[in-house]
Amino acid sequence: LRAWFLYSFQPFDEGYFQQLKWPSYWLLLIWSITPYYGAMGIFWLTMFLVMDRSDEYVLINYILSFKALQFVTLGFLGTLVGAGMYHLCLTQDMEHHTCDKHGPGMQADFFYQFAAFWAQSFLSWAAFLLLPCSIRKGGTKARNAADEKVAGDDTLRFLKGGYLRRMIGFDVCVFLICLSWVVASAMRPGFYGLDQAHWQFRATCYFSKCVYGLLSFPFVFFVIPPFNSILTHAQPTAYNQAGDAVPLLGATDRLRKKAMDAAGVDVNDQGAVRSFQKNYAATNSTRRKQSQGSNRASQAREMV
């Protein structure tokens, strides 16, 4: 079950558009963005428990995936939904507002969502604290050796996580500001106090969550290629069918792997793998030469 969960969500040998054809991926994707009854929090808790926490890229990808999703779902969409709910509860009745019944944060499961949201943030910080103990399973040996050689300078570029370290500090500061906002509003003299049933307390909690989500926007740049590898200096990994973190295959490597699978080559037989790779390279070389020859012939006919 663990291997199915990890491979379905982050396969090492399939491109994203091919992954969109998998029902299992859609099932997990919908689960990961469902805000009701703490479903999203349970997903990211499950991911944290089953993922390979010894791999540098896995930890970084966990943090960035959650933070980018947080900006879209809790920040951008949450603000739009909250503003719409406020408009309806203030204008639905011409004489009295209905925000104490239909306003933001008045859902029956709101505090399940609220607790799950903060729990996810704590998990992302826990993943960050595990980074110094992680190892790099992605990339080539030559690339990793070169990085280790220059890492002695102890610059921010080569520390594990790269510039993500500064962003986590920013994230903690934003969290403390939002928490202070909720507490200060609740403790204001003559106001409503820490009454969970009060609609103003719930609305304050709701919009503090939205503000925290909106201020996660800088993390979006970290998930956009090629900025993700430049800013974090981590080499991509994903999961194989056994649930192990392995280097993520590029487009050429994916085609080669599919050809090996079609030919029935045993990946554990190094001799068979080398023989196949040699034949595969020779075949591709022949095809390229034939294609170049056809192009030259076509150009010559056009000139005539």
Side-chain angles (χ1 to χ4, degrees):
L1 185 59
R2 173 185 176 274
W4 171 85
F5 180 90
L6 294 172
Y7 181 73
S8 296
F9 200 66
Q10 296 174 348
F12 82 107
D13 57 351
E14 293 290 352
Y16 181 71
F17 292 105
Q18 182 65 29
Q19 194 180 0
L20 291 176
K21 301 177 182 179
W22 295 2
S24 57
Y25 173 73
W26 282 104
L27 174 66
L28 295 177
L29 180 64
I30 293 172
W31 180 15
S32 70
I33 63 176
T34 301
Y36 302 108
Y37 297 100
M40 189 164 72
I42 294 174
F43 173 87
W44 291 102
L45 173 61
T46 303
M47 176 63 76
F48 182 82
L49 294 175
V50 303
M51 70 182 186
D52 185 355
R53 294 183 295 277
S54 66
D55 179 49
E56 177 189 13
Y57 182 82
V58 167
L59 293 172
I60 292 174
N61 188 54
Y62 178 84
I63 298 170
L64 296 180
S65 297
F66 167 65
K67 290 299 179 183
L69 186 65
Q70 173 180 288
F71 165 73
V72 175
T73 57
L74 301 178
F76 181 71
L77 295 179
T79 301
L80 290 180
V81 171
M85 294 177 71
Y86 247 144
H87 174 75
L88 290 176
C89 75
L90 290 173
T91 60
Q92 190 173 18
D93 193 314
M94 296 299 293
E95 297 181 357
H96 303 91
H97 71 78
T98 59
C99 294
D100 56 340
K101 296 179 181 179
H102 307 295
M106 294 307 298
Q107 300 84 355
D109 65 328
F110 172 71
F111 282 105
Y112 290 105
Q113 301 177 32
F114 196 63
F117 164 71
W118 292 118
Q120 293 171 68
S121 297
F122 295 145
L123 287 175
S124 66
W125 300 338
F128 174 74
L129 293 176
L130 291 173
L131 268 178
C133 303
S134 64
I135 59 176
R136 180 175 295 178
K137 297 185 178 181
T140 62
K141 293 182 178 180
R143 172 69 179 272
N144 294 339
D147 288 348
E148 290 177 1
K149 184 177 180 180
V150 299
D153 298 335
D154 200 37
T155 60
L156 185 65
R157 173 184 170 89
F158 291 103
L159 288 173
K160 288 181 179 177
Y163 292 93
L164 179 63
R165 303 168 73 89
R166 286 182 176 176
M167 290 307 305
I168 293 296
F170 167 77
D171 186 62
V172 173
C173 290
V174 171
F175 164 76
L176 293 176
I177 291 172
C178 291
L179 179 63
S180 300
W181 175 24
V182 173
V183 174
S185 299
M187 300 304 292
R188 192 170 68 183
F191 207 38
Y192 46 83
L194 291 171
D195 183 3
Q196 293 186 2
H198 202 291
W199 72 270
Q200 289 173 303
F201 177 77
R202 285 172 170 256
T204 302
C205 293
Y206 180 91
F207 281 107
S208 69
K209 184 176 67 170
C210 291
V211 169
Y212 182 60
L214 287 172
L215 291 177
S216 298
F217 174 72
F219 286 95
V220 175
F221 293 103
F222 282 75
V223 299
I224 301 175
F227 299 112
N228 49 3
S229 59
I230 295 173
L231 294 174
T232 65
H233 208 64
Q235 300 302 312
T237 57
Y239 296 98
N240 59 18
Q241 290 86 340
D244 301 321
V246 296
L248 181 67
L249 298 183
T252 302
D253 293 328
R254 289 198 299 268
L255 291 175
R256 184 183 297 112
K257 182 181 181 300
K258 289 181 179 180
M260 289 178 61
D261 293 340
V265 178
D266 184 4
V267 295
N268 296 319
D269 187 346
Q270 296 299 319
V273 171
R274 285 193 294 269
S275 177
F276 174 83
Q277 291 177 341
K278 182 178 180 180
N279 294 333
Y280 184 82
T283 301
N284 285 342
S285 177
T286 302
R287 289 176 178 174
R288 284 195 298 270
K289 290 179 180 179
Q290 291 175 347
S291 177
Q292 292 172 357
S294 299
N295 292 336
R296 285 194 293 268
S298 298
Q299 293 173 359
R301 286 195 297 269
E302 290 176 358
M303 293 177 63
V304 173

XYZ file of all heavy atoms in Angstrom, residues 139-184:
355
model
N 20.597 12.791 -8.994
C 21.767 13.309 -9.696
C 22.813 12.240 -9.943
O 22.727 11.113 -9.476
N 23.849 12.613 -10.676
C 24.942 11.697 -10.983
C 25.996 11.762 -9.890
O 26.078 12.730 -9.132
C 25.583 12.061 -12.334
O 26.141 13.390 -12.236
C 24.548 12.040 -13.440
N 26.808 10.738 -9.803
C 27.872 10.707 -8.802
C 28.875 11.844 -9.018
O 29.368 12.439 -8.065
C 28.585 9.353 -8.843
C 27.719 8.187 -8.394
C 28.501 6.889 -8.415
C 27.647 5.725 -7.919
N 28.405 4.444 -7.942
N 29.174 12.136 -10.298
C 30.124 13.204 -10.599
C 29.587 14.558 -10.144
O 30.315 15.368 -9.564
C 30.414 13.225 -12.102
N 28.295 14.800 -10.388
C 27.687 16.070 -9.977
C 27.674 16.199 -8.461
O 28.009 17.252 -7.901
C 26.266 16.140 -10.533
C 25.435 17.325 -10.020
C 25.952 18.639 -10.555
N 25.136 19.741 -10.074
C 24.037 20.176 -10.682
N 23.612 19.575 -11.789
N 23.360 21.189 -10.205
N 27.308 15.147 -7.778
C 27.252 15.192 -6.320
C 28.636 15.370 -5.714
O 28.814 16.087 -4.720
C 26.600 13.912 -5.779
C 25.135 13.804 -6.177
O 24.502 14.810 -6.498
N 24.607 12.600 -6.154
N 29.644 14.717 -6.315
C 31.003 14.852 -5.806
C 31.509 16.285 -5.988
O 32.190 16.839 -5.119
C 31.925 13.872 -6.529
N 31.173 16.899 -7.134
C 31.584 18.283 -7.374
C 30.932 19.232 -6.377
O 31.566 20.161 -5.876
C 31.220 18.684 -8.804
N 29.663 18.999 -6.062
C 28.968 19.841 -5.095
C 29.557 19.695 -3.701
O 29.708 20.668 -2.963
C 27.480 19.501 -5.062
C 26.755 19.984 -6.304
O 27.358 20.771 -7.053
O 25.608 19.574 -6.523
N 29.895 18.459 -3.335
C 30.480 18.225 -2.013
C 31.848 18.892 -1.899
O 32.253 19.349 -0.829
C 30.604 16.730 -1.759
C 29.261 16.034 -1.562
C 29.409 14.543 -1.390
O 30.573 14.070 -1.399
O 28.393 13.848 -1.253
N 32.562 18.976 -3.026
C 33.903 19.565 -3.003
C 33.851 21.058 -2.711
O 34.678 21.587 -1.957
C 34.589 19.320 -4.347
C 36.027 19.811 -4.391
C 36.669 19.466 -5.725
C 38.113 19.951 -5.777
N 38.753 19.616 -7.072
N 32.854 21.745 -3.294
C 32.751 23.183 -3.085
C 31.895 23.543 -1.886
O 31.844 24.687 -1.474
C 32.172 23.881 -4.341
C 33.070 23.667 -5.520
C 30.770 23.380 -4.631
N 31.213 22.565 -1.298
C 30.344 22.839 -0.153
C 31.126 23.230 1.086
O 30.556 23.703 2.057
C 29.469 21.628 0.154
N 32.432 23.055 1.057
C 33.234 23.432 2.208
C 33.219 24.922 2.473
O 33.515 25.373 3.579
N 32.840 25.721 1.468
C 32.738 27.167 1.666
C 31.588 27.526 2.602
O 31.526 28.635 3.109
C 32.520 27.865 0.319
C 33.689 27.647 -0.622
O 34.814 27.393 -0.138
O 33.466 27.738 -1.840
N 30.654 26.573 2.805
C 29.516 26.766 3.694
C 28.675 27.970 3.280
O 28.121 28.690 4.101
C 29.974 26.931 5.148
C 28.840 26.648 6.129
O 28.050 25.741 5.852
O 28.743 27.341 7.144
N 28.579 28.222 1.980
C 27.754 29.312 1.500
C 26.299 28.871 1.499
O 25.984 27.686 1.531
C 28.159 29.696 0.065
O 27.986 28.551 -0.786
C 29.596 30.149 0.019
N 25.387 29.857 1.437
C 23.974 29.538 1.446
C 23.595 28.689 0.243
O 22.703 27.852 0.325
C 23.164 30.838 1.446
C 21.648 30.717 1.576
C 21.301 30.142 2.945
C 20.974 32.063 1.398
N 24.297 28.875 -0.863
C 23.986 28.144 -2.087
C 24.138 26.643 -1.896
O 23.369 25.848 -2.425
C 24.886 28.631 -3.232
C 24.772 27.831 -4.518
C 25.760 28.339 -5.541
N 25.835 27.465 -6.694
C 25.072 27.564 -7.755
N 24.140 28.473 -7.799
N 25.216 26.743 -8.785
N 25.129 26.227 -1.114
C 25.424 24.807 -1.024
C 24.967 24.165 0.282
O 25.153 22.971 0.479
C 26.923 24.572 -1.228
C 27.369 24.857 -2.633
C 28.044 26.016 -2.939
C 27.049 23.980 -3.645
C 28.432 26.292 -4.241
C 27.434 24.249 -4.957
C 28.124 25.402 -5.249
N 24.418 24.934 1.210
C 23.800 24.323 2.369
C 22.556 23.567 1.924
O 21.876 23.958 0.983
C 23.423 25.398 3.385
C 24.591 26.054 4.138
C 24.068 27.202 4.981
C 25.305 25.037 5.020
N 22.242 22.476 2.595
C 21.080 21.681 2.205
C 19.819 22.526 2.325
O 19.543 23.106 3.350
C 20.978 20.441 3.084
C 22.054 19.412 2.778
C 21.928 18.176 3.634
C 23.008 17.160 3.268
N 22.962 15.960 4.120
N 19.077 22.554 1.232
C 17.896 23.393 1.179
C 18.137 24.699 0.466
O 17.199 25.341 -0.005
N 19.400 25.122 0.360
C 19.727 26.360 -0.342
C 18.983 27.557 0.226
O 18.923 27.766 1.435
N 18.384 28.329 -0.657
C 17.675 29.538 -0.249
C 16.341 29.237 0.424
O 15.686 30.155 0.942
C 17.469 30.438 -1.463
C 18.762 31.006 -1.984
C 19.471 30.366 -3.000
C 19.305 32.164 -1.432
C 20.668 30.867 -3.475
C 20.506 32.678 -1.895
C 21.182 32.022 -2.914
O 22.371 32.528 -3.367
N 15.949 27.984 0.427
C 14.736 27.594 1.150
C 14.878 27.857 2.645
O 13.877 28.083 3.339
C 14.434 26.111 0.896
C 13.202 25.525 1.587
C 11.931 26.224 1.095
C 13.108 24.024 1.315
N 16.102 27.861 3.137
C 16.342 28.102 4.561
C 15.823 29.483 4.972
O 15.218 29.641 6.039
C 17.828 27.963 4.869
C 18.417 26.615 4.479
C 19.930 26.636 4.532
N 20.392 26.657 5.914
C 20.623 25.567 6.641
N 20.427 24.369 6.118
N 21.064 25.666 7.878
N 16.064 30.477 4.139
C 15.562 31.819 4.432
C 14.040 31.870 4.366
O 13.387 32.554 5.166
C 16.154 32.832 3.457
C 17.609 33.166 3.732
C 18.103 34.206 2.764
N 19.472 34.620 3.064
C 20.170 35.459 2.317
N 19.629 35.968 1.212
N 21.397 35.798 2.659
N 13.468 31.141 3.416
C 12.025 31.161 3.257
C 11.322 30.517 4.445
O 10.218 30.937 4.822
C 11.629 30.444 1.960
C 12.017 31.189 0.705
S 11.420 32.888 0.679
C 9.680 32.625 0.946
N 11.920 29.507 5.038
C 11.316 28.894 6.221
C 11.327 29.886 7.381
O 10.353 29.978 8.153
C 12.060 27.602 6.609
C 11.850 26.533 5.537
C 11.583 27.093 7.961
C 10.413 26.086 5.374
N 12.411 30.663 7.513
C 12.443 31.710 8.530
C 11.340 32.735 8.306
O 10.668 33.168 9.256
N 11.144 33.116 7.044
C 10.054 34.035 6.692
C 8.703 33.422 7.037
O 7.811 34.098 7.576
C 10.144 34.361 5.204
C 8.932 35.036 4.640
C 8.720 36.381 4.869
C 8.022 34.327 3.883
C 7.590 37.023 4.348
C 6.894 34.948 3.358
C 6.681 36.300 3.590
N 8.535 32.137 6.759
C 7.274 31.451 7.013
C 6.955 31.421 8.511
O 5.800 31.629 8.911
C 7.347 30.022 6.456
C 6.025 29.293 6.543
O 5.057 29.755 5.916
O 5.973 28.261 7.236
N 7.947 31.175 9.327
C 7.736 31.154 10.777
C 7.337 32.544 11.276
O 6.442 32.672 12.133
C 8.998 30.657 11.500
C 8.849 30.794 13.016
C 9.284 29.204 11.140
N 7.959 33.577 10.746
C 7.611 34.944 11.147
C 6.159 35.271 10.778
O 5.423 35.879 11.569
C 8.554 35.942 10.485
S 10.246 35.898 11.107
N 5.735 34.852 9.573
C 4.356 35.093 9.154
C 3.385 34.344 10.070
O 2.335 34.873 10.459
C 4.158 34.663 7.690
C 2.683 34.710 7.300
C 4.968 35.555 6.766
N 3.749 33.103 10.421
C 2.908 32.325 11.334
C 2.741 33.036 12.673
O 1.627 33.142 13.211
C 3.527 30.947 11.548
C 2.973 30.209 12.735
C 1.730 29.608 12.671
C 3.682 30.127 13.926
C 1.207 28.935 13.763
C 3.170 29.464 15.024
C 1.920 28.866 14.942
N 3.828 33.561 13.222
C 3.764 34.244 14.513
C 2.917 35.518 14.426
O 2.175 35.846 15.357
C 5.178 34.571 15.000
C 6.047 33.364 15.353
C 7.461 33.812 15.719
C 5.429 32.547 16.493
N 2.998 36.219 13.301
C 2.193 37.430 13.114
C 0.706 37.079 13.068
O -0.133 37.736 13.714
C 2.624 38.169 11.836
C 4.024 38.751 12.019
C 1.619 39.272 11.483
C 4.609 39.339 10.746
N 0.361 36.031 12.307
C -1.043 35.614 12.207
C -1.565 35.116 13.557
O -2.712 35.406 13.935
C -1.190 34.530 11.147
S -0.910 35.116 9.454
N -0.734 34.375 14.274
C -1.132 33.900 15.598
C -1.344 35.073 16.553
O -2.320 35.097 17.324
C -0.067 32.951 16.143
C -0.324 32.379 17.541
C -1.595 31.527 17.551
C 0.872 31.550 18.003
N -0.455 36.060 16.488
C -0.583 37.243 17.341
C -1.851 38.012 17.006
O -2.507 38.567 17.900
C 0.637 38.152 17.178
O 1.825 37.478 17.531
N -2.201 38.052 15.724
C -3.430 38.720 15.290
C -4.658 38.080 15.940
O -5.527 38.779 16.481
C -3.510 38.662 13.775
C -4.774 39.201 13.173
C -5.622 40.121 13.727
C -5.327 38.849 11.905
N -6.682 40.371 12.872
C -6.520 39.602 11.745
C -4.926 37.990 10.880
C -7.308 39.512 10.606
C -5.701 37.903 9.746
C -6.881 38.654 9.607
N -4.728 36.756 15.904
C -5.866 36.050 16.493
C -5.933 36.274 18.003
O -6.990 36.606 18.559
C -5.788 34.543 16.174
C -6.883 33.774 16.918
C -5.903 34.301 14.678
N -4.801 36.117 18.674
C -4.778 36.252 20.130
C -5.076 37.690 20.552
O -5.864 37.938 21.482
C -3.414 35.796 20.688
C -3.330 36.069 22.184
C -3.199 34.311 20.406
N -4.463 38.671 19.871
C -4.674 40.073 20.226
C -6.129 40.481 20.022
O -6.703 41.217 20.837
C -3.755 40.965 19.406
